[in-house]
Amino acid sequence: MYNVRLMNKIAKVGTDNFDPTKYTVGEEINNPSAILVRSADLHEFVFPDSVKAVARAGAGVNNIPLDKCADNGIVVFNTPGANANGVKEIVLCALFLASRDIVGGFEWSKTLKGDEDAAKKVEKGKSQFAGCEILGKTLGIIGLGAIGRLVANAADALGMNVVGYDPYLSDAAKALLAPNVKIVASYDDIYNCADYITLHIPATAETKGMLNASAFSKMKDGVKILNFSRADLVNSTDILVSLENGKIAKYIVDFPTTEIIDKNKNIITIPHLGASTAESEDNCAIMAVKQIIDYFENGNLVNAVTYPRLVLERKGSKRICVLFKNTDADKISAVIGNCIQSANAVKGVYGYAVYDVDGDVNINAIKAVNGVTGVNVID
Ligand code: MLT
């Protein structure tokens, strides 16, 4: 029996995939084999030894201590792409919010409540909320993963000039972009031509604060910034200065923080609603749950954040799954000896190997191999 602890509300359509004869699922589980999480911060969480997997129903994993988990043989999964359409749609909404003063106009209209001349005053006062159209404007997209790509293609279809930059863009991902989307060679190539810039990259040590005074100084005057990735990507002090002096015309951000809430009339804060749609929540939950099940029941790793991808159809009566760090799979294979089939893969310093066997295997001997971070046996 596997125990699964829910750290947040996870869509039932996802958790229903757990076979109740094999899985106990709930919020009050003490010794979980797996943890399912959305936004709960796990950095201070004390992981019981029982935990073998953490699945985030979402793309960002900055609420999970990735290295700590990986070093302790805990596989962290995320669900890239599962909420991409939801986020794409809110980014399109943000493009329009950045272009037309809908928020200002909405607030102002409310001040006319009960005014008998409201209709007349609306016609007289509306010019203060006039905006611009997105047609023919240039949208710069930083990050062309699942979300960035959908945004690129949708903006292209709406008649924008789209330029994108992604240091990790694969040929396969590039092939999914609309032909008009122009791939540029650097962040600067986005900064110097874009009327709107939208961020679709993870928050990491490298990307933290990447939109700062230096980046803003390279941008066009009156640029509009959309941030539906993470607060940390943008330096709050610097963006406030740039909004104040007019360099930046609008900042639409899905991550309100104390530093920026209501600090400038041209900031629009949205309470992290990017993926808050019924469809996205369902898709993420289903993907997260299926990945846990495939790991526990077949030893397959799909969308593991730190460990490599490995999918192998099972043969034989037993599968030995070995997680390792900074070591060679050959050392593990030598301990296992004869097996029906095996496979291994490495991502950075972390590796994963599976061995299908029929006989007995000395698990303690595998655990004793230097660099092994975890061993799971699936019968
Ligand atoms: C994500 O990381 O997938 C999005 O920010 C949405 C979310 O956090 O739920």
Side-chain angles (χ1 to χ4, degrees), residues 38-39 56-62 79 83 87 147 228-230 254-255 272 274-276 284:
R38 271 201 69 188
S39 52
R56 166 138 214 278
V61 283
N62 57 321
T79 60
N83 57 23
V87 181
I147 298 169
F228 286 79
S229 286
R230 286 295 179 262
D254 204 21
F255 306 93
H272 198 183
S276 292
C284 288

Side-chain angles (χ1 to χ4, degrees), residues 54-294:
V54 174
R56 166 138 214 278
V61 283
N62 57 321
N63 55 330
I64 302 169
L66 295 178
D67 292 345
K68 183 168 124 188
C69 286
D71 290 349
N72 288 293
I74 300 171
V75 178
V76 176
F77 297 94
N78 67 347
T79 60
N83 57 23
N85 189 64
V87 181
K88 174 203 81 181
E89 289 188 7
I90 205 168
V91 171
L92 294 178
C93 169
L95 268 175
F96 294 116
L97 291 177
S99 309
R100 319 282 285 262
D101 194 2
I102 296 165
V103 173
F106 170 69
E107 292 299 336
W108 179 73
S109 318
K110 285 196 291 185
T111 67
L112 302 176
K113 186 178 173 187
D115 190 325
E116 284 187 2
D117 286 333
K120 261 194 204 151
K121 286 185 180 162
V122 161
E123 291 311 319
K124 215 170 158 202
K126 69 180 182 184
S127 61
Q128 59 187 308
F129 306 107
C132 67
E133 299 179 17
I134 61 167
L135 185 73
K137 304 290 188 311
T138 298
L139 172 66
I141 304 184
I142 295 181
L144 291 164
I147 298 169
R149 180 171 69 241
L150 292 186
V151 171
N153 293 349
D156 171 62
L158 289 170
M160 299 189 83
N161 305 315
V162 182
V163 293
Y165 175 62
D166 188 330
Y168 305 104
L169 187 66
S170 65
D171 286 343
K174 198 172 171 179
L176 297 172
L177 288 164
N180 287 337
V181 174
K182 189 174 162 203
I183 306 299
V184 292
S186 68
Y187 295 117
D188 285 3
D189 289 342
I190 299 260
Y191 299 157
N192 63 32
C193 72
D195 302 301
Y196 300 76
I197 294 178
T198 184
L199 294 168
H200 298 291
I201 49 170
T204 63
E206 290 78 45
T207 59
K208 192 171 176 201
M210 63 175 283
L211 289 199
N212 54 18
S214 158
F216 297 142
S217 71
K218 297 172 188 163
M219 294 179 189
K220 285 174 78 173
D221 290 345
V223 64
K224 291 148 184 164
I225 310 279
L226 318 182
N227 181 2
F228 286 79
S229 286
R230 286 295 179 262
D232 278 358
L233 298 169
V234 176
N235 181 303
S236 308
T237 312
D238 294 356
I239 200 160
L240 286 174
V241 171
S242 295
L243 281 156
E244 210 51 55
N245 65 27
K247 178 76 187 175
I248 295 173
K250 282 272 184 212
Y251 181 42
I252 320 282
V253 55
D254 204 21
F255 306 93
T257 57
T258 319
E259 291 80 28
I260 59 158
I261 291 173
D262 209 20
K263 290 284 169 67
N264 185 292
K265 68 176 175 29
N266 288 318
I267 298 180
I268 296 178
T269 47
I270 300 170
H272 198 183
L273 295 182
S276 292
T277 64
E279 295 87 345
S280 285
E281 287 176 11
D282 287 358
N283 291 342
C284 288
I286 292 168
M287 196 191 260
V289 168
K290 286 192 171 170
Q291 288 169 179
I292 291 181
I293 294 172
D294 200 20

